[in-house]
Amino acid sequence: MSDRATTDTLPGAAPDAAVDGLAAELREAVTTGVTRPRLYRAQQLDGLIAMLLQHTSRWEAALAADLGKSEIEAHLTEIGLVVSEARAAKRSLRRWMAATPLATPLALQPAFAKTLPEPLGAALIIAPWNYPLQLALAPLVGAIAAGCAAVVKPSELAPTTSALLAELAPQHLDPRSVRVVEGGVDETTALLEQRWDLIFYTGGARVARVVAAAAAKHLTPTVLELGGKSPAYVHRSADIPAAARRIAWGKWLNAGQTCVAPDHIRVDREVADELVEELRRATAEQLGDPRTSPDFARIVNGRHLERLRGLLASGTAVVGGDVDEADRFVAPTILTDVDDASAVMQEEIFGPILPVLPVDGVDGFIETMRDAEKPLALYVFARDRDAVRRVERETSSGALGINIAVAHAGAAALPFGGVGESGSGAYHGKHSFDAFSHRKAVLSKPTGLDTLRMIYPPFSGRRGRLAKRLLG
Ligand code: NAD
């Protein structure tokens, strides 16, 4: 058990006791209709917005304590992002909740077909530490909008944000349908034993397998938002200074602890030196001295810092390379002379270390992706349309950024999610509503004129022939 108490228990109580029966209790809010009215969903979304906007400085302080996030970054990528998701959901509720009419086959007419979204029920949302507010609350927006009840389990590795969420949620959200359960492996394990109607997990692929196995026991569907090694490919036709600025921004954001950060760069050999120079320039422009820059975050904890320190040995640090344990600081680092067999290329880096590996043209890049796991994102920087088209058509990834990194995560119309080892399911905007909904197929047929008569048995003579023609 983690060293902090859960929200629902006294210190020292077993995690199971804290969460016992929670799924069933929350499901009741859905089955008894509490969460279904549009007005209720709108009020809950208002509560969520108020929870963020009335305590902005406390959220900023929590994110600074957990990850050294700057105020601006906290707004851009956490507080502001969730507020705009919640506002858009509230504005769209009527449209999202409406039935969608669909065509009916001739043989069944007259009849009316439609899909009607209904809440899946009680959802479990398990969040990671790197965007501890956004990744706990953006899925919750979808859950509320869809009329679900939800337990949010924030990451124990961002303890200040987790504690603030546990403190403020009951003040702003109806505890009949939203709960926050703090804790680590033990608490999550106890939660996972219960029968949920959806498990929405964000984090690494190893724990995702634990989550998927627990879900399988109850045939519970999952959304798995995972990570992986998202590459950036820089083609010789690229606007190299622009590519460098955009990659540097996407990589140094949150000190590289971003699931869609460019993990490493593959660059056409002939422009590799120029790109490294431009990366050096862009890094200096954006962060000055990163040690004193208020815009450069810190590594979440000592364990991750040591992991990153170990990866520095995989190449030559041409920019950065220094580590200050006491300050949880790892400098923005550009590594060259990196081999595909080295440690830094074996796992997701998830920190401010950027290996640059030369490659021989589009063919060479596509070849590197053939045996790789499908990443959460892939970025191509090129002005040559054919190069872009080939990457678009011949590689697979959760998302593709063309001449831009990371920013697709802020375009709410786009589904955000992975494929293969980088996850399954997607959310953001309407996709969040869909993730927590079941699209019920509805067929309604008036009874006055029973045109179905011809397909009722007994099937003999003309009737049989007609039925065969209609249904065949
Ligand atoms: P983490 O260690 O915070 O774990 C995620 C959650 O799983 C936490 O709530 C944690 O308590 C829980 N957990 C940990 N071990 C568990 C276990 N044995 N059983 C049950 N629950 C357990 O986060 P992490 O895994 O270090 O997160 C980093 C990973 O997440 C990276 O791979 C990153 O790419 C990925 N990520 C993906 C997205 C996305 O949106 N796709 C976003 C952020 C991070």
Side-chain angles (χ1 to χ4, degrees), residues 244-324:
R245 281 194 301 275
R246 292 175 183 191
I247 293 173
W249 168 74
K251 181 72 178 190
W252 308 144
L253 187 74
N254 201 27
Q257 301 162 112
T258 303
C259 54
V260 287
D263 179 89
H264 57 280
I265 301 178
R266 308 256 184 204
V267 53
D268 278 354
R269 204 172 292 281
E270 54 270 49
V271 292
D273 288 346
E274 187 188 349
L275 179 71
V276 168
E277 262 330 288
E278 291 297 337
L279 284 167
R280 183 198 304 277
R281 191 195 311 270
T283 304
E285 262 171 30
Q286 290 173 18
L287 298 176
D289 177 0
R291 246 175 213 281
T292 52
S293 166
D295 300 320
F296 186 66
R298 293 298 184 263
I299 304 307
V300 67
N301 59 27
R303 184 171 61 82
H304 277 282
L305 184 127
E306 286 312 321
R307 179 182 65 78
L308 290 165
R309 195 204 297 269
L311 297 182
L312 290 171
S314 292
T316 311
V318 290
V319 172
D322 38 324
V323 173
D324 179 352

Side-chain angles (χ1 to χ4, degrees), residues 125-131 134-135 153-158 183-189 192 200-207 210-211 224-228 257-260 303-304 348 350 376 416-418 422 427-428:
I125 297 169
I126 304 173
W129 50 266
N130 60 331
Y131 289 86
Q134 185 211 137
L135 298 173
K153 211 298 288 171
S155 175
E156 72 281 20
L157 299 186
V185 176
D186 291 351
E187 288 77 2
T188 317
T189 305
L192 284 171
F200 190 111
Y201 169 81
T202 307
R206 186 186 59 79
V207 176
V210 176
V211 170
L224 302 174
E225 294 283 339
L226 315 179
Q257 301 162 112
T258 303
C259 54
V260 287
R303 184 171 61 82
H304 277 282
E348 182 179 353
F350 223 57
L376 188 57
F416 185 85
S422 57
Y427 73 130
H428 285 186

